[in-house]
Amino acid sequence: MNLIYDKWIPVRRKSGKKEKIAPWEVTKNMAADPILELAAPRPDFNGALIQFLIGLLQTTCAPNSNKEWRSWRDNPPVPEELKRKFEEVAFAFNLDGTGPRFMQDLTLESELKKTDEPESIDKLLIDSPGGQTEKFNTDHFIKRGRVEQLCFSCSAQALLTLQLNAPAGGAGHRVGLRGGGPVNTVILGNFLWETVWSNVLDQNRFNNLASPDQNENEDKFPWCGETRTSENDKVTTGQDVHPYQVYWSLPRRIRLGFNKEKNQCNLCGENDVVVNKYFTKPYGVMYKGIVHPLTPTYEKSDKKSGKVEVFSVHQHESVGYKSWLGYVQTIIEEKRRIAEVINQVFDRRIINFRIYAFGYDMDNMKASCWHEGIMPVVTIEDENKRHTYEAEIVSIIQAVNSIAVSLRYAVKDAWFDPQQKKNVDLGFVVQRFWQETEPDFYHHIAKLREDVMADGDGLAVKQGWHRCIVRKAEQIFNEVSQSEMIDEVNVRRVADSWNKLRRNIYGKKIKQDILGLPN
C-alpha cells in the first residue's frame, strides 16, 4: 500500500456521500460535489489526517509568495497536477514492503531477537489501556481486546496519530516532536481543500522552523535511513533535521506486522488485509525545541542555566474563548505565542476566519480526554486599530478570569468550613461560567470591533460586558450554593460568601484596573 497512490483517506462530500480518496484527489469534483471534511472512524484520526494533508502540501507544493498562495486558493489545482507533485515523495510513503515504510523504523526488524514478543495492534491507539492498567485490572471504561485487527487504512491512521501525539510510554519510549498531546490550531475553510491549503506556509517562512541545509531524504523522512536513536538522552534539535520533519517525525520505533488474509477491521468494519500486531523498541528520536507551525508555544527559563527554552502548548481543557489568549492572540508579557499559521493569516490580511483547535489531554502516559472546538475570529485589517481591538479583548478576558476565580472561592466558602475546603477542586463551576458566557463574548467583541473601527473608546461595550458576566456569576452562585434552599445550607456561611463575591466582582480591581471603567 502506498499512501500517495492508494485510496485510504475517508471523506464526506457536500452531497453527504462518504468515500475513500487518495491524497491527490482532495480537489476532485470540486465544482459539482466538493469534499467538505474528513470522515475517519475516530476524531483523533481526523486530527492526524488533516496534519498529513497539510504536511504533504507543505512538503511538495509550498508557495513562494502570498500571490502564489492566493492563486491556488481561488483556483484549486486539478487532481492530476497534485498527483504529479506528490509523486516526487511517493518513495517515502509505502506502508508495507521490505524497504523504508511510512513512519516505521527501517532497521528495527534486524535488531529483533527470537524472544521479542509483538504488541497487539490495539496498543497503537492512544486511549488503549497500558500494561500496568491491564495488570491491575483497572481498565474500567475502555476495555482491552476491543480492537484486535485493523485494515490498511485504519492502521495507517493509527500509526500517524500515535507518532504525532505520542505520550510518555515508559523508559525510552519517547514523546512526540511537540510532547504528548499537543494543541493544534488549524484554519478552517468551507471545504477540505480550503482548510488544507489555508494552513500551508510560504516556503521562506517554513524554512525558519529548522535547518534547510539538512537536505538528505532521511533528514526529511527519518524512516528512510537509520533512526537517530536517543540512547544516553541524545536529543534532536532543529539544527539536526530539515523543516519537513516537523510533519514527518519518528519518536517511536515501530514496525507493523501484516496478515495476508482478508478480514473485518474492528474500527471501520471493512473487509481488507488486516494488521494485527506490531513490533517496537525504545529510544526513538527525542526531539527538543522544534517549533511546529500548527502549535502555539510558550517560553520558560531553565532554573539552572537561565537559558530561555521554547515549549509547545498542550491541550488540558475544553476548547473555548478561555483559550483565545495564546491561540488567537500572542501575549508578549506572558511569553505565549500563537501558532505560525495563525500569524500568517493576519499577515495575509484575512479578517474573517475560523480556528479548529484540537488535541489530547494527556496525564503522563494516559489519555484523559480528547478536546476539539471551533473559534470564530473577526479581526481588523488596519494594524493600529487591530492592536487597540486586541488590547481591549485582553482586558475583557482578564475580567472573566478574575470573576471566575472569585466565583470558585465563593462557592467553596459557601459549601465547606475552613477545615473541609482545603483540597476541594471546584473546576466544574469555573468551566460552567466560561461556557455559559461564550455566546455573549462573541456578541460583545463584535460590538467592540464596530466601536474601535468608528474610533470609539469601547467603554459602553465593556460596561455591558461587565454587567453580563456579573449577572452570570451571581446566577451560578445562587444555583450551585443552593442559597435558595434555606433548610439545607449554612445560611450564614452562604450569606458571607455572597457578600464577599459581590465585593470582588463589583470592586475596583475588575472595573477600573482591568476593564478601565470610570469609578
Side-chain angles (χ1 to χ4, degrees), residues 87-379:
E87 281 178 332
E88 297 172 8
V89 297
F91 67 89
F93 286 78
N94 290 320
L95 188 67
D96 57 344
T98 56
R101 292 184 187 175
F102 176 74
M103 284 193 166
Q104 298 171 65
D105 188 286
L106 180 62
T107 61
L108 187 147
E109 283 182 328
S110 65
E111 299 177 25
L112 292 175
K113 302 175 183 176
K114 290 183 178 180
T115 54
D116 288 333
E117 292 289 330
E119 297 282 354
S120 57
I121 198 64
D122 68 310
K123 294 296 188 296
L124 279 184
L125 305 176
I126 289 178
D127 58 341
S128 286
Q132 288 292 96
T133 302
E134 292 184 2
K135 180 180 177 180
F136 294 106
N137 291 316
T138 54
D139 50 331
H140 302 307
F141 302 105
I142 298 179
K143 299 291 185 182
R144 71 193 83 177
R146 63 202 168 97
V147 175
E148 297 179 347
Q149 53 199 23
L150 296 176
C151 65
F152 267 35
S153 172
C154 287
S155 60
Q157 295 174 62
L159 176 65
L160 174 67
T161 303
L162 178 61
Q163 296 287 30
L164 294 180
N165 298 280
H173 291 280
R174 302 306 184 191
V175 297
L177 180 139
R178 297 165 283 173
V183 170
N184 296 273
T185 51
V186 170
I187 306 301
L188 198 61
N190 295 319
F191 306 110
L192 183 58
W193 165 255
E194 290 181 8
T195 295
V196 176
W197 188 238
S198 293
N199 292 278
V200 175
L201 298 181
D202 293 348
Q203 188 64 62
N204 288 337
R205 196 174 198 133
F206 186 76
N207 285 344
N208 292 329
L209 299 178
S211 175
D213 296 331
Q214 303 292 344
N215 202 30
E216 300 298 322
N217 285 333
E218 56 265 35
D219 298 322
K220 304 170 185 176
F221 311 107
W223 56 87
C224 287
E226 188 172 338
T227 302
R228 186 185 167 90
T229 55
S230 53
E231 291 92 344
N232 302 316
D233 291 334
K234 178 183 178 181
V235 300
T236 295
T237 70
Q239 298 306 307
D240 304 310
V241 299
H242 190 277
Y244 291 159
Q245 197 170 146
V246 300
Y247 280 110
W248 313 118
S249 53
L250 197 70
R252 295 291 180 89
R253 302 186 68 196
I254 290 171
R255 197 79 171 173
L256 298 179
F258 294 92
N259 186 336
K260 296 301 181 182
E261 296 181 3
K262 286 193 173 185
N263 215 324
Q264 188 178 52
C265 174
N266 293 146
L267 278 185
C268 71
E270 289 195 9
N271 282 312
D272 195 357
V273 174
V274 294
V275 186
N276 54 19
K277 63 184 179 182
Y278 69 96
F279 291 91
T280 186
K281 278 191 169 293
Y283 303 110
V285 185
M286 184 161 68
Y287 297 96
K288 184 176 182 181
I290 300 178
V291 175
H292 194 284
L294 300 180
T295 299
T297 60
Y298 65 95
E299 294 178 5
K300 192 175 180 181
S301 298
D302 184 88
K303 291 183 179 179
K304 293 182 179 179
S305 66
K307 184 179 178 181
V308 175
E309 296 184 33
V310 178
F311 296 90
S312 296
V313 174
H314 290 175
Q315 191 70 50
H316 292 307
E317 58 190 6
S318 59
V319 176
Y321 82 101
K322 184 179 181 182
S323 308
W324 186 279
L325 304 182
Y327 284 22
V328 182
Q329 289 181 213
T330 288
I331 308 300
I332 298 295
E333 314 83 66
E334 299 178 18
K335 299 179 180 178
R336 295 160 60 194
R337 299 185 181 278
I338 59 178
E340 195 60 27
V341 292
I342 311 299
N343 271 324
Q344 184 168 252
V345 172
F346 290 124
D347 290 346
R348 286 173 174 164
R349 300 196 178 278
I350 297 172
I351 63 170
N352 192 339
F353 58 95
R354 294 176 297 159
I355 295 175
Y356 170 44
F358 58 88
Y360 267 111
D361 178 0
M362 302 299 304
D363 179 10
N364 198 7
M365 64 184 70
K366 297 188 212 107
S368 299
C369 189
W370 170 262
H371 294 292
E372 63 179 15
I374 296 173
M375 304 170 68
V377 181
V378 181
T379 185

Side-chain angles (χ1 to χ4, degrees), residues 402-419:
S402 184
I403 288 182
V405 171
S406 296
L407 175 62
R408 182 180 61 192
Y409 280 116
V411 172
K412 189 181 287 190
D413 290 343
W415 273 11
F416 305 103
D417 61 38
Q419 288 73 33

Side-chain angles (χ1 to χ4, degrees), residues 412-425 490 493:
K412 189 181 287 190
D413 290 343
W415 273 11
F416 305 103
D417 61 38
Q419 288 73 33
Q420 292 176 309
K421 69 182 183 181
K422 192 172 184 181
N423 298 315
V424 175
D425 179 17
N490 184 318
R493 198 162 61 207

Side-chain angles (χ1 to χ4, degrees), residues 446-498:
K447 291 171 65 176
L448 179 65
R449 179 177 181 273
E450 292 176 3
D451 193 76
V452 170
M453 290 183 69
D455 297 323
D457 57 13
L459 288 179
V461 178
K462 290 188 289 183
Q463 285 171 335
W465 176 242
H466 182 253
R467 287 193 296 270
C468 173
I469 55 180
V470 160
R471 282 196 302 266
K472 180 56 67 175
E474 291 174 341
Q475 176 196 338
I476 292 175
F477 178 88
N478 283 328
E479 293 176 4
V480 174
S481 69
Q482 299 181 10
S483 60
E484 297 173 358
M485 303 171 65
I486 299 300
D487 296 335
E488 300 181 25
V489 297
N490 184 318
V491 178
R492 181 178 186 129
R493 198 162 61 207
V494 170
D496 288 344
S497 302
W498 167 257

